[in-house]
Amino acid sequence: MSPSSLDELIDALRCLPGVGPKSAQRMAYHLLQRDQRGAQRLALALDHALKVIRHCARCNNFTEDEVCERCLSAKRDAALLCVVEMPADLNMLEQTHAYRGMYYVLMGRISPLDGIGPKELRLDKLLARAADGMVQEVILATNFTNEGEATAHYLGEMLRARGLAVSRIARGLPVGGEIEHTDAGTIAQALVERRPL
Amino acid sequence: MSPSSLDELIDALRCLPGVGPKSAQRMAYHLLQRDQRGAQRLALALDHALKVIRHCARCNNFTEDEVCERCLSAKRDAALLCVVEMPADLNMLEQTHAYRGMYYVLMGRISPLDGIGPKELRLDKLLARAADGMVQEVILATNFTNEGEATAHYLGEMLRARGLAVSRIARGLPVGGEIEHTDAGTIAQALVERRPL
């Protein structure tokens, strides 16, 4: 006997990742009871974003333009192409100010359990981007999770087969890391990948 | 350098309870990348709900009508008025099929830390409802949390001062409850509120 528009709102909120029936209900009550302005703002923001946001033709990141500002920048090194999983990863790399090359955002990772394979990630777009004649090295900066590693492995094979130089960001102890408090897997990798001084 | 419509969407998602900057970002990426249809549906559902949902003039629950179906039902006992915090509580009580009286939904609880006092809960509307001449007993079914208890205490004083009979739902062991696995507070209450057999 609850109004159908409320049921529909609760149901629609479940499209958000990590939101189950109970959270969706709590969210709907909160919006209707305590934050109608926020709800209106969210409706408009969703609508607007869906209308104007698309993928950059070069780096695949979200943008409102055909090619994003970063890809058009003349100040960046077109010989380096760094591949990341998500825009959040790109933002973290940018915050380091340690990289001035170009990016490619996969918008995901190979994840067979979620039905995401090379086709779903549209890796042909990355291949075309990497084969623009300017790129000399592709840096794989996917996560060091199982899925990120599998993605890097697959991409490495694929890009090397096309004659491109491929590298992977380093694994090891974090800055300030103490051996006593680091997991064994990381220590083992730091040993294997040790560098001459 | 991320598009402003994306930043605005991430910001707008933070109006949802329990959603911080990281979750909002993950939600925005998910909607744009994997569930544009869901996002469109959510925008429409929000917009529609904001337009049509209001509070029942009698029970204060969400409804699309002036007075909700339940309040208009001739099959319910108009002498009993059960006060609950949220619509979800009302739904749980209805599922028991043990109550056929009327309801009043506070849409919250007295919570000084959140700045919600008697005025913010608009308790005058409950007073007017309880003083309709039909109601003979008001059953307080707020939660047994600190805030729910404080709300029940306040409502009890207020309603009794107006000559209404007031009761509180019982505390005790749950059905199937074992003393060994019940918290001390509940056992103590069950002892104090023991009933003659």
mmCIF file of all heavy atoms in Angstrom, chain A residues 12-13 15-17 19 27 30-31 35 37-47 49, chain B residues 5-32 38-39 42-43 46:
data_model
loop_
_atom_site.group_PDB
_atom_site.id
_atom_site.type_symbol
_atom_site.label_atom_id
_atom_site.label_comp_id
_atom_site.label_asym_id
_atom_site.label_seq_id
_atom_site.Cartn_x
_atom_site.Cartn_y
_atom_site.Cartn_z
ATOM 1 N N ALA A 12 14.591 2.079 -8.346
ATOM 2 C CA ALA A 12 15.543 2.755 -9.240
ATOM 3 C C ALA A 12 16.866 3.026 -8.522
ATOM 4 O O ALA A 12 17.933 2.989 -9.140
ATOM 5 C CB ALA A 12 14.956 4.064 -9.760
ATOM 6 N N LEU A 13 16.817 3.284 -7.204
ATOM 7 C CA LEU A 13 18.045 3.554 -6.449
ATOM 8 C C LEU A 13 18.950 2.335 -6.398
ATOM 9 O O LEU A 13 20.151 2.442 -6.175
ATOM 10 C CB LEU A 13 17.701 4.009 -5.024
ATOM 11 C CG LEU A 13 17.267 5.471 -4.890
ATOM 12 C CD1 LEU A 13 16.576 5.711 -3.559
ATOM 13 C CD2 LEU A 13 18.472 6.405 -5.026
ATOM 14 N N CYS A 15 20.003 0.651 -8.756
ATOM 15 C CA CYS A 15 20.980 0.588 -9.850
ATOM 16 C C CYS A 15 22.346 1.083 -9.366
ATOM 17 O O CYS A 15 23.355 0.851 -10.030
ATOM 18 C CB CYS A 15 20.509 1.411 -11.051
ATOM 19 S SG CYS A 15 20.633 3.185 -10.796
ATOM 20 N N LEU A 16 22.388 1.730 -8.204
ATOM 21 C CA LEU A 16 23.666 2.199 -7.664
ATOM 22 C C LEU A 16 24.452 1.024 -7.111
ATOM 23 O O LEU A 16 23.881 0.165 -6.432
ATOM 24 C CB LEU A 16 23.425 3.238 -6.558
ATOM 25 C CG LEU A 16 22.701 4.511 -6.997
ATOM 26 C CD1 LEU A 16 22.300 5.339 -5.786
ATOM 27 C CD2 LEU A 16 23.582 5.320 -7.922
ATOM 28 N N PRO A 17 25.766 0.971 -7.374
ATOM 29 C CA PRO A 17 26.555 -0.166 -6.904
ATOM 30 C C PRO A 17 26.599 -0.219 -5.384
ATOM 31 O O PRO A 17 26.754 0.816 -4.732
ATOM 32 C CB PRO A 17 27.951 0.103 -7.487
ATOM 33 C CG PRO A 17 27.986 1.564 -7.757
ATOM 34 C CD PRO A 17 26.585 1.966 -8.079
ATOM 35 N N VAL A 19 24.148 -0.874 -3.344
ATOM 36 C CA VAL A 19 22.912 -0.458 -2.687
ATOM 37 C C VAL A 19 21.873 -1.571 -2.794
ATOM 38 O O VAL A 19 21.421 -1.913 -3.884
ATOM 39 C CB VAL A 19 22.364 0.845 -3.307
ATOM 40 C CG1 VAL A 19 21.005 1.185 -2.721
ATOM 41 C CG2 VAL A 19 23.341 1.984 -3.074
ATOM 42 N N MET A 27 17.524 5.499 1.636
ATOM 43 C CA MET A 27 17.867 6.643 0.792
ATOM 44 C C MET A 27 16.618 7.374 0.317
ATOM 45 O O MET A 27 16.562 8.604 0.335
ATOM 46 C CB MET A 27 18.665 6.166 -0.428
ATOM 47 C CG MET A 27 20.101 5.790 -0.111
ATOM 48 S SD MET A 27 20.929 5.071 -1.553
ATOM 49 C CE MET A 27 22.632 5.060 -0.940
ATOM 50 N N HIS A 30 15.063 9.304 3.109
ATOM 51 C CA HIS A 30 15.895 10.466 3.429
ATOM 52 C C HIS A 30 15.679 11.586 2.413
ATOM 53 O O HIS A 30 15.473 12.750 2.786
ATOM 54 C CB HIS A 30 17.370 10.069 3.464
ATOM 55 C CG HIS A 30 18.295 11.227 3.636
ATOM 56 N ND1 HIS A 30 18.609 11.757 4.856
ATOM 57 C CD2 HIS A 30 18.957 11.994 2.719
ATOM 58 C CE1 HIS A 30 19.425 12.780 4.704
ATOM 59 N NE2 HIS A 30 19.663 12.947 3.418
ATOM 60 N N LEU A 31 15.709 11.237 1.126
ATOM 61 C CA LEU A 31 15.580 12.257 0.089
ATOM 62 C C LEU A 31 14.220 12.939 0.182
ATOM 63 O O LEU A 31 14.119 14.170 0.114
ATOM 64 C CB LEU A 31 15.748 11.636 -1.296
ATOM 65 C CG LEU A 31 17.160 11.130 -1.630
ATOM 66 C CD1 LEU A 31 17.165 10.461 -2.993
ATOM 67 C CD2 LEU A 31 18.163 12.272 -1.599
ATOM 68 N N ASP A 35 15.749 15.893 2.313
ATOM 69 C CA ASP A 35 16.621 16.557 1.340
ATOM 70 C C ASP A 35 16.002 16.576 -0.063
ATOM 71 O O ASP A 35 16.571 16.047 -1.017
ATOM 72 C CB ASP A 35 17.991 15.868 1.313
ATOM 73 C CG ASP A 35 19.058 16.748 0.660
ATOM 74 O OD1 ASP A 35 18.742 17.896 0.306
ATOM 75 O OD2 ASP A 35 20.189 16.276 0.509
ATOM 76 N N ARG A 37 15.743 19.134 -1.960
ATOM 77 C CA ARG A 37 16.599 19.934 -2.854
ATOM 78 C C ARG A 37 17.739 19.091 -3.402
ATOM 79 O O ARG A 37 18.073 19.175 -4.580
ATOM 80 C CB ARG A 37 17.168 21.149 -2.115
ATOM 81 C CG ARG A 37 16.137 22.263 -1.939
ATOM 82 C CD ARG A 37 16.777 23.477 -1.297
ATOM 83 N NE ARG A 37 17.878 24.025 -2.104
ATOM 84 C CZ ARG A 37 18.694 24.984 -1.687
ATOM 85 N NH1 ARG A 37 18.543 25.493 -0.481
ATOM 86 N NH2 ARG A 37 19.647 25.428 -2.477
ATOM 87 N N GLY A 38 18.328 18.268 -2.517
ATOM 88 C CA GLY A 38 19.396 17.372 -2.962
ATOM 89 C C GLY A 38 18.893 16.394 -4.006
ATOM 90 O O GLY A 38 19.577 16.096 -4.984
ATOM 91 N N ALA A 39 17.677 15.884 -3.803
ATOM 92 C CA ALA A 39 17.100 14.922 -4.741
ATOM 93 C C ALA A 39 16.882 15.567 -6.104
ATOM 94 O O ALA A 39 17.166 14.978 -7.152
ATOM 95 C CB ALA A 39 15.777 14.385 -4.185
ATOM 96 N N GLN A 40 16.399 16.815 -6.081
ATOM 97 C CA GLN A 40 16.164 17.535 -7.344
ATOM 98 C C GLN A 40 17.479 17.778 -8.066
ATOM 99 O O GLN A 40 17.587 17.599 -9.280
ATOM 100 C CB GLN A 40 15.463 18.872 -7.030
ATOM 101 C CG GLN A 40 14.925 19.561 -8.262
ATOM 102 C CD GLN A 40 13.827 18.740 -8.926
ATOM 103 O OE1 GLN A 40 12.748 18.568 -8.369
ATOM 104 N NE2 GLN A 40 14.096 18.197 -10.102
ATOM 105 N N ARG A 41 18.486 18.136 -7.262
ATOM 106 C CA ARG A 41 19.812 18.391 -7.826
ATOM 107 C C ARG A 41 20.375 17.113 -8.446
ATOM 108 O O ARG A 41 20.967 17.136 -9.531
ATOM 109 C CB ARG A 41 20.726 18.893 -6.708
ATOM 110 C CG ARG A 41 22.098 19.258 -7.198
ATOM 111 C CD ARG A 41 22.994 19.688 -6.039
ATOM 112 N NE ARG A 41 24.359 19.730 -6.515
ATOM 113 C CZ ARG A 41 25.419 19.714 -5.729
ATOM 114 N NH1 ARG A 41 25.275 19.668 -4.424
ATOM 115 N NH2 ARG A 41 26.630 19.752 -6.244
ATOM 116 N N LEU A 42 20.176 15.978 -7.757
ATOM 117 C CA LEU A 42 20.674 14.696 -8.267
ATOM 118 C C LEU A 42 19.987 14.327 -9.574
ATOM 119 O O LEU A 42 20.640 13.893 -10.536
ATOM 120 C CB LEU A 42 20.468 13.605 -7.210
ATOM 121 C CG LEU A 42 20.884 12.193 -7.603
ATOM 122 C CD1 LEU A 42 22.340 12.139 -8.070
ATOM 123 C CD2 LEU A 42 20.684 11.225 -6.442
ATOM 124 N N ALA A 43 18.667 14.534 -9.632
ATOM 125 C CA ALA A 43 17.923 14.215 -10.857
ATOM 126 C C ALA A 43 18.461 15.030 -12.029
ATOM 127 O O ALA A 43 18.695 14.501 -13.123
ATOM 128 C CB ALA A 43 16.436 14.483 -10.644
ATOM 129 N N LEU A 44 18.696 16.310 -11.785
ATOM 130 C CA LEU A 44 19.209 17.187 -12.850
ATOM 131 C C LEU A 44 20.633 16.799 -13.248
ATOM 132 O O LEU A 44 20.965 16.767 -14.433
ATOM 133 C CB LEU A 44 19.194 18.652 -12.388
ATOM 134 C CG LEU A 44 17.822 19.306 -12.296
ATOM 135 C CD1 LEU A 44 17.927 20.687 -11.651
ATOM 136 C CD2 LEU A 44 17.190 19.414 -13.682
ATOM 137 N N ALA A 45 21.473 16.493 -12.246
ATOM 138 C CA ALA A 45 22.872 16.149 -12.520
ATOM 139 C C ALA A 45 22.962 14.867 -13.346
ATOM 140 O O ALA A 45 23.773 14.765 -14.267
ATOM 141 C CB ALA A 45 23.649 16.003 -11.219
ATOM 142 N N LEU A 46 22.118 13.880 -13.001
ATOM 143 C CA LEU A 46 22.077 12.624 -13.760
ATOM 144 C C LEU A 46 21.686 12.909 -15.201
ATOM 145 O O LEU A 46 22.333 12.463 -16.151
ATOM 146 C CB LEU A 46 21.056 11.661 -13.142
ATOM 147 C CG LEU A 46 21.495 10.909 -11.883
ATOM 148 C CD1 LEU A 46 20.287 10.297 -11.189
ATOM 149 C CD2 LEU A 46 22.508 9.833 -12.234
ATOM 150 N N ASP A 47 20.619 13.653 -15.340
ATOM 151 C CA ASP A 47 20.079 13.949 -16.657
ATOM 152 C C ASP A 47 21.109 14.684 -17.520
ATOM 153 O O ASP A 47 21.361 14.322 -18.668
ATOM 154 C CB ASP A 47 18.837 14.824 -16.477
ATOM 155 C CG ASP A 47 17.857 14.616 -17.602
ATOM 156 O OD1 ASP A 47 17.498 13.451 -17.850
ATOM 157 O OD2 ASP A 47 17.494 15.611 -18.253
ATOM 158 N N ALA A 49 24.452 14.886 -17.053
ATOM 159 C CA ALA A 49 25.650 14.078 -17.305
ATOM 160 C C ALA A 49 25.387 13.086 -18.435
ATOM 161 O O ALA A 49 26.228 12.887 -19.317
ATOM 162 C CB ALA A 49 26.071 13.352 -16.028
ATOM 163 N N SER B 5 30.367 18.422 -15.641
ATOM 164 C CA SER B 5 29.108 17.699 -15.446
ATOM 165 C C SER B 5 29.348 16.414 -14.651
ATOM 166 O O SER B 5 28.472 15.966 -13.909
ATOM 167 C CB SER B 5 28.468 17.369 -16.796
ATOM 168 O OG SER B 5 29.417 16.746 -17.642
ATOM 169 N N LEU B 6 30.551 15.841 -14.767
ATOM 170 C CA LEU B 6 30.893 14.644 -13.986
ATOM 171 C C LEU B 6 31.126 15.027 -12.526
ATOM 172 O O LEU B 6 30.629 14.371 -11.610
ATOM 173 C CB LEU B 6 32.132 13.977 -14.583
ATOM 174 C CG LEU B 6 32.661 12.725 -13.875
ATOM 175 C CD1 LEU B 6 31.603 11.644 -13.805
ATOM 176 C CD2 LEU B 6 33.901 12.204 -14.573
ATOM 177 N N ASP B 7 31.866 16.122 -12.304
ATOM 178 C CA ASP B 7 32.084 16.603 -10.936
ATOM 179 C C ASP B 7 30.762 16.911 -10.253
ATOM 180 O O ASP B 7 30.557 16.596 -9.081
ATOM 181 C CB ASP B 7 32.944 17.877 -10.955
ATOM 182 C CG ASP B 7 34.414 17.556 -11.217
ATOM 183 O OD1 ASP B 7 34.797 16.387 -11.021
ATOM 184 O OD2 ASP B 7 35.147 18.462 -11.631
ATOM 185 N N GLU B 8 29.860 17.541 -11.001
ATOM 186 C CA GLU B 8 28.563 17.905 -10.428
ATOM 187 C C GLU B 8 27.764 16.647 -10.072
ATOM 188 O O GLU B 8 27.121 16.581 -9.021
ATOM 189 C CB GLU B 8 27.785 18.787 -11.418
ATOM 190 C CG GLU B 8 26.303 18.970 -11.129
ATOM 191 C CD GLU B 8 25.987 19.623 -9.788
ATOM 192 O OE1 GLU B 8 26.892 20.192 -9.151
ATOM 193 O OE2 GLU B 8 24.811 19.525 -9.364
ATOM 194 N N LEU B 9 27.830 15.620 -10.927
ATOM 195 C CA LEU B 9 27.116 14.372 -10.627
ATOM 196 C C LEU B 9 27.680 13.717 -9.376
ATOM 197 O O LEU B 9 26.928 13.274 -8.492
ATOM 198 C CB LEU B 9 27.205 13.412 -11.827
ATOM 199 C CG LEU B 9 26.631 12.010 -11.604
ATOM 200 C CD1 LEU B 9 25.160 12.091 -11.188
ATOM 201 C CD2 LEU B 9 26.768 11.151 -12.851
ATOM 202 N N ILE B 10 29.021 13.673 -9.271
ATOM 203 C CA ILE B 10 29.666 13.071 -8.096
ATOM 204 C C ILE B 10 29.238 13.831 -6.839
ATOM 205 O O ILE B 10 28.874 13.241 -5.825
ATOM 206 C CB ILE B 10 31.201 13.075 -8.247
ATOM 207 C CG1 ILE B 10 31.604 12.115 -9.373
ATOM 208 C CG2 ILE B 10 31.892 12.686 -6.949
ATOM 209 C CD1 ILE B 10 33.074 12.182 -9.762
ATOM 210 N N ASP B 11 29.230 15.147 -6.936
ATOM 211 C CA ASP B 11 28.837 15.977 -5.796
ATOM 212 C C ASP B 11 27.374 15.763 -5.430
ATOM 213 O O ASP B 11 27.018 15.672 -4.255
ATOM 214 C CB ASP B 11 29.074 17.451 -6.161
ATOM 215 C CG ASP B 11 29.781 18.178 -5.045
ATOM 216 O OD1 ASP B 11 30.727 17.609 -4.487
ATOM 217 O OD2 ASP B 11 29.369 19.307 -4.724
ATOM 218 N N ALA B 12 26.528 15.668 -6.444
ATOM 219 C CA ALA B 12 25.089 15.518 -6.201
ATOM 220 C C ALA B 12 24.782 14.170 -5.561
ATOM 221 O O ALA B 12 23.862 14.056 -4.741
ATOM 222 C CB ALA B 12 24.304 15.675 -7.509
ATOM 223 N N LEU B 13 25.558 13.141 -5.905
ATOM 224 C CA LEU B 13 25.329 11.809 -5.333
ATOM 225 C C LEU B 13 25.588 11.803 -3.828
ATOM 226 O O LEU B 13 25.093 10.936 -3.106
ATOM 227 C CB LEU B 13 26.217 10.769 -6.021
ATOM 228 C CG LEU B 13 25.721 10.284 -7.389
ATOM 229 C CD1 LEU B 13 26.840 9.581 -8.154
ATOM 230 C CD2 LEU B 13 24.529 9.336 -7.231
ATOM 231 N N ARG B 14 26.359 12.778 -3.352
ATOM 232 C CA ARG B 14 26.677 12.815 -1.921
ATOM 233 C C ARG B 14 25.493 13.233 -1.066
ATOM 234 O O ARG B 14 25.578 13.208 0.164
ATOM 235 C CB ARG B 14 27.885 13.713 -1.672
ATOM 236 C CG ARG B 14 29.135 13.117 -2.326
ATOM 237 C CD ARG B 14 30.372 13.752 -1.841
ATOM 238 N NE ARG B 14 30.452 13.690 -0.375
ATOM 239 C CZ ARG B 14 31.318 14.363 0.334
ATOM 240 N NH1 ARG B 14 32.165 15.155 -0.276
ATOM 241 N NH2 ARG B 14 31.335 14.263 1.644
ATOM 242 N N CYS B 15 24.384 13.640 -1.684
ATOM 243 C CA CYS B 15 23.188 13.917 -0.869
ATOM 244 C C CYS B 15 22.594 12.614 -0.333
ATOM 245 O O CYS B 15 21.775 12.631 0.587
ATOM 246 C CB CYS B 15 22.141 14.696 -1.676
ATOM 247 S SG CYS B 15 21.282 13.700 -2.897
ATOM 248 N N LEU B 16 23.004 11.474 -0.890
ATOM 249 C CA LEU B 16 22.493 10.186 -0.409
ATOM 250 C C LEU B 16 23.131 9.848 0.936
ATOM 251 O O LEU B 16 24.329 10.027 1.105
ATOM 252 C CB LEU B 16 22.800 9.083 -1.424
ATOM 253 C CG LEU B 16 22.154 9.267 -2.797
ATOM 254 C CD1 LEU B 16 22.723 8.253 -3.791
ATOM 255 C CD2 LEU B 16 20.644 9.114 -2.703
ATOM 256 N N PRO B 17 22.324 9.351 1.889
ATOM 257 C CA PRO B 17 22.888 9.054 3.209
ATOM 258 C C PRO B 17 23.932 7.946 3.129
ATOM 259 O O PRO B 17 23.730 6.942 2.437
ATOM 260 C CB PRO B 17 21.661 8.608 4.016
ATOM 261 C CG PRO B 17 20.654 8.181 3.007
ATOM 262 C CD PRO B 17 20.913 9.000 1.779
ATOM 263 N N GLY B 18 25.054 8.134 3.815
ATOM 264 C CA GLY B 18 26.095 7.106 3.862
ATOM 265 C C GLY B 18 26.994 7.086 2.636
ATOM 266 O O GLY B 18 27.783 6.164 2.474
ATOM 267 N N VAL B 19 26.863 8.078 1.762
ATOM 268 C CA VAL B 19 27.696 8.108 0.548
ATOM 269 C C VAL B 19 28.740 9.217 0.667
ATOM 270 O O VAL B 19 28.391 10.395 0.702
ATOM 271 C CB VAL B 19 26.831 8.300 -0.712
ATOM 272 C CG1 VAL B 19 27.707 8.462 -1.951
ATOM 273 C CG2 VAL B 19 25.887 7.117 -0.888
ATOM 274 N N GLY B 20 30.003 8.831 0.752
ATOM 275 C CA GLY B 20 31.109 9.786 0.841
ATOM 276 C C GLY B 20 31.707 10.031 -0.531
ATOM 277 O O GLY B 20 31.196 9.534 -1.533
ATOM 278 N N PRO B 21 32.800 10.808 -0.596
ATOM 279 C CA PRO B 21 33.372 11.165 -1.908
ATOM 280 C C PRO B 21 33.797 9.957 -2.746
ATOM 281 O O PRO B 21 33.563 9.938 -3.952
ATOM 282 C CB PRO B 21 34.580 12.037 -1.543
ATOM 283 C CG PRO B 21 34.696 12.048 -0.071
ATOM 284 C CD PRO B 21 33.486 11.449 0.526
ATOM 285 N N LYS B 22 34.399 8.929 -2.114
ATOM 286 C CA LYS B 22 34.871 7.771 -2.870
ATOM 287 C C LYS B 22 33.694 6.978 -3.443
ATOM 288 O O LYS B 22 33.721 6.561 -4.608
ATOM 289 C CB LYS B 22 35.716 6.845 -1.978
ATOM 290 C CG LYS B 22 37.084 7.415 -1.653
ATOM 291 C CD LYS B 22 38.165 6.881 -2.603
ATOM 292 C CE LYS B 22 39.505 7.516 -2.290
ATOM 293 N NZ LYS B 22 40.531 7.230 -3.266
ATOM 294 N N SER B 23 32.672 6.726 -2.620
ATOM 295 C CA SER B 23 31.508 5.969 -3.123
ATOM 296 C C SER B 23 30.815 6.750 -4.222
ATOM 297 O O SER B 23 30.353 6.173 -5.210
ATOM 298 C CB SER B 23 30.484 5.701 -2.027
ATOM 299 O OG SER B 23 31.074 5.369 -0.835
ATOM 300 N N ALA B 24 30.703 8.069 -4.020
ATOM 301 C CA ALA B 24 30.013 8.895 -5.021
ATOM 302 C C ALA B 24 30.731 8.797 -6.363
ATOM 303 O O ALA B 24 30.098 8.673 -7.416
ATOM 304 C CB ALA B 24 29.946 10.346 -4.544
ATOM 305 N N GLN B 25 32.058 8.829 -6.318
ATOM 306 C CA GLN B 25 32.836 8.703 -7.544
ATOM 307 C C GLN B 25 32.596 7.342 -8.203
ATOM 308 O O GLN B 25 32.338 7.255 -9.401
ATOM 309 C CB GLN B 25 34.322 8.861 -7.195
ATOM 310 C CG GLN B 25 35.201 9.121 -8.386
ATOM 311 C CD GLN B 25 36.664 9.248 -7.972
ATOM 312 O OE1 GLN B 25 37.232 8.339 -7.380
ATOM 313 N NE2 GLN B 25 37.278 10.355 -8.274
ATOM 314 N N ARG B 26 32.642 6.269 -7.380
ATOM 315 C CA ARG B 26 32.434 4.924 -7.913
ATOM 316 C C ARG B 26 31.035 4.807 -8.530
ATOM 317 O O ARG B 26 30.845 4.220 -9.587
ATOM 318 C CB ARG B 26 32.611 3.893 -6.796
ATOM 319 C CG ARG B 26 32.979 2.514 -7.309
ATOM 320 C CD ARG B 26 33.237 1.554 -6.165
ATOM 321 N NE ARG B 26 32.104 1.441 -5.278
ATOM 322 C CZ ARG B 26 32.116 1.700 -3.965
ATOM 323 N NH1 ARG B 26 33.211 2.103 -3.387
ATOM 324 N NH2 ARG B 26 31.021 1.559 -3.236
ATOM 325 N N MET B 27 30.042 5.401 -7.838
ATOM 326 C CA MET B 27 28.674 5.350 -8.355
ATOM 327 C C MET B 27 28.560 6.071 -9.702
ATOM 328 O O MET B 27 27.939 5.579 -10.635
ATOM 329 C CB MET B 27 27.716 6.003 -7.342
ATOM 330 C CG MET B 27 27.433 5.142 -6.131
ATOM 331 S SD MET B 27 26.421 6.029 -4.917
ATOM 332 C CE MET B 27 26.014 4.654 -3.815
ATOM 333 N N ALA B 28 29.166 7.247 -9.779
ATOM 334 C CA ALA B 28 29.078 8.034 -11.017
ATOM 335 C C ALA B 28 29.721 7.276 -12.179
ATOM 336 O O ALA B 28 29.135 7.174 -13.261
ATOM 337 C CB ALA B 28 29.762 9.391 -10.825
ATOM 338 N N TYR B 29 30.917 6.723 -11.944
ATOM 339 C CA TYR B 29 31.594 5.962 -12.998
ATOM 340 C C TYR B 29 30.730 4.778 -13.422
ATOM 341 O O TYR B 29 30.592 4.483 -14.609
ATOM 342 C CB TYR B 29 32.953 5.441 -12.526
ATOM 343 C CG TYR B 29 33.984 6.513 -12.262
ATOM 344 C CD1 TYR B 29 35.098 6.258 -11.486
ATOM 345 C CD2 TYR B 29 33.847 7.794 -12.797
ATOM 346 C CE1 TYR B 29 36.056 7.232 -11.237
ATOM 347 C CE2 TYR B 29 34.794 8.775 -12.560
ATOM 348 C CZ TYR B 29 35.896 8.496 -11.777
ATOM 349 O OH TYR B 29 36.837 9.465 -11.540
ATOM 350 N N HIS B 30 30.184 4.073 -12.415
ATOM 351 C CA HIS B 30 29.365 2.890 -12.727
ATOM 352 C C HIS B 30 28.166 3.274 -13.589
ATOM 353 O O HIS B 30 27.876 2.635 -14.596
ATOM 354 C CB HIS B 30 28.895 2.235 -11.430
ATOM 355 C CG HIS B 30 27.917 1.119 -11.648
ATOM 356 N ND1 HIS B 30 28.315 -0.175 -11.918
ATOM 357 C CD2 HIS B 30 26.560 1.105 -11.676
ATOM 358 C CE1 HIS B 30 27.240 -0.929 -12.086
ATOM 359 N NE2 HIS B 30 26.169 -0.184 -11.945
ATOM 360 N N LEU B 31 27.460 4.334 -13.190
ATOM 361 C CA LEU B 31 26.263 4.738 -13.928
ATOM 362 C C LEU B 31 26.613 5.122 -15.363
ATOM 363 O O LEU B 31 25.953 4.711 -16.310
ATOM 364 C CB LEU B 31 25.575 5.918 -13.235
ATOM 365 C CG LEU B 31 24.938 5.601 -11.877
ATOM 366 C CD1 LEU B 31 24.366 6.866 -11.252
ATOM 367 C CD2 LEU B 31 23.839 4.559 -12.017
ATOM 368 N N LEU B 32 27.678 5.917 -15.528
ATOM 369 C CA LEU B 32 28.024 6.405 -16.866
ATOM 370 C C LEU B 32 28.596 5.298 -17.743
ATOM 371 O O LEU B 32 28.375 5.276 -18.956
ATOM 372 C CB LEU B 32 29.036 7.548 -16.757
ATOM 373 C CG LEU B 32 28.467 8.835 -16.174
ATOM 374 C CD1 LEU B 32 29.577 9.832 -15.887
ATOM 375 C CD2 LEU B 32 27.447 9.450 -17.126
ATOM 376 N N GLY B 38 19.861 2.606 -16.192
ATOM 377 C CA GLY B 38 19.522 2.713 -14.777
ATOM 378 C C GLY B 38 19.596 4.157 -14.307
ATOM 379 O O GLY B 38 18.755 4.615 -13.536
ATOM 380 N N ALA B 39 20.613 4.878 -14.781
ATOM 381 C CA ALA B 39 20.779 6.282 -14.394
ATOM 382 C C ALA B 39 19.604 7.125 -14.886
ATOM 383 O O ALA B 39 19.074 7.974 -14.173
ATOM 384 C CB ALA B 39 22.092 6.824 -14.959
ATOM 385 N N LEU B 42 16.643 6.370 -12.787
ATOM 386 C CA LEU B 42 16.744 7.004 -11.474
ATOM 387 C C LEU B 42 16.392 8.482 -11.554
ATOM 388 O O LEU B 42 15.675 9.014 -10.702
ATOM 389 C CB LEU B 42 18.154 6.800 -10.914
ATOM 390 C CG LEU B 42 18.456 7.450 -9.560
ATOM 391 C CD1 LEU B 42 17.449 7.026 -8.505
ATOM 392 C CD2 LEU B 42 19.873 7.126 -9.109
ATOM 393 N N ALA B 43 16.896 9.158 -12.595
ATOM 394 C CA ALA B 43 16.596 10.584 -12.757
ATOM 395 C C ALA B 43 15.087 10.799 -12.882
ATOM 396 O O ALA B 43 14.520 11.693 -12.247
ATOM 397 C CB ALA B 43 17.314 11.132 -13.991
ATOM 398 N N LEU B 46 13.256 10.004 -9.477
ATOM 399 C CA LEU B 46 13.438 11.094 -8.517
ATOM 400 C C LEU B 46 12.493 12.241 -8.856
ATOM 401 O O LEU B 46 11.777 12.764 -8.003
ATOM 402 C CB LEU B 46 14.889 11.597 -8.561
ATOM 403 C CG LEU B 46 15.939 10.764 -7.832
ATOM 404 C CD1 LEU B 46 17.336 11.181 -8.261
ATOM 405 C CD2 LEU B 46 15.787 10.931 -6.323
#
